Amino acid sequence: CGGSINLHWAKGSDISDINAKFGAQHTVTGALGLVFAAFFARSVDHVNAAILWTLYASLTIIHILANVWCMRLIAFDSCNTARMNLLLDEFFDWWQLHQGDEDPPLVSLSSPK
């Protein structure tokens, strides 16, 4: 999905410039994450395990929700294989459910908000 996202951001710009900036940003954030993780690991050495698991679960949920929110902001112009499979599965489920209906309901292809 990374290539599609880079193409999305490169509209009206140079894709090589976007890829270079992405690579530099990835290097810096990876290095900062490694330093932060080392300090974090030393600071939670004497913390209760239940608190650590709660903190881990909370941060994981926040991370997943942030990713979902960010992916909903991006509008792709094309369907990759996985996206096309999701669309076809949804359509065929709808088709089987409403095959005998005289006036079947409309299918919404937009994401729920």
Side-chain angles (χ1 to χ4, degrees):
C1 186
S4 298
I5 293 173
N6 287 347
L7 286 173
H8 172 79
W9 292 118
K11 293 199 189 255
S13 182
D14 186 16
I15 187 67
S16 60
D17 186 39
I18 299 294
N19 284 334
K21 288 176 183 174
F22 175 75
Q25 181 183 16
H26 189 25
T27 302
V28 170
T29 56
L32 288 175
L34 186 62
V35 170
F36 177 73
F39 283 120
F40 182 76
R42 296 186 91 208
S43 67
V44 296
D45 188 32
H46 303 292
V47 177
N48 184 2
I51 294 173
L52 284 178
W53 280 108
T54 303
L55 182 62
Y56 174 75
S58 301
L59 291 174
T60 301
I61 290 169
I62 290 170
H63 180 83
I64 291 171
L65 291 174
N67 279 328
V68 169
W69 179 69
C70 288
M71 291 306 291
R72 286 187 176 174
L73 291 177
I74 298 174
F76 293 114
D77 293 337
S78 62
C79 279
N80 62 11
T81 306
R83 210 173 297 126
M84 182 59 79
N85 284 337
L86 288 172
L87 286 171
L88 289 175
D89 286 343
E90 183 72 24
F91 174 75
F92 288 129
D93 288 345
W94 172 86
W95 183 264
Q96 287 178 352
L97 185 65
H98 299 288
Q99 199 166 14
D101 294 352
E102 288 183 27
D103 293 325
L106 297 175
V107 175
S108 174
L109 295 178
S110 63
S111 62
K113 294 190 180 190

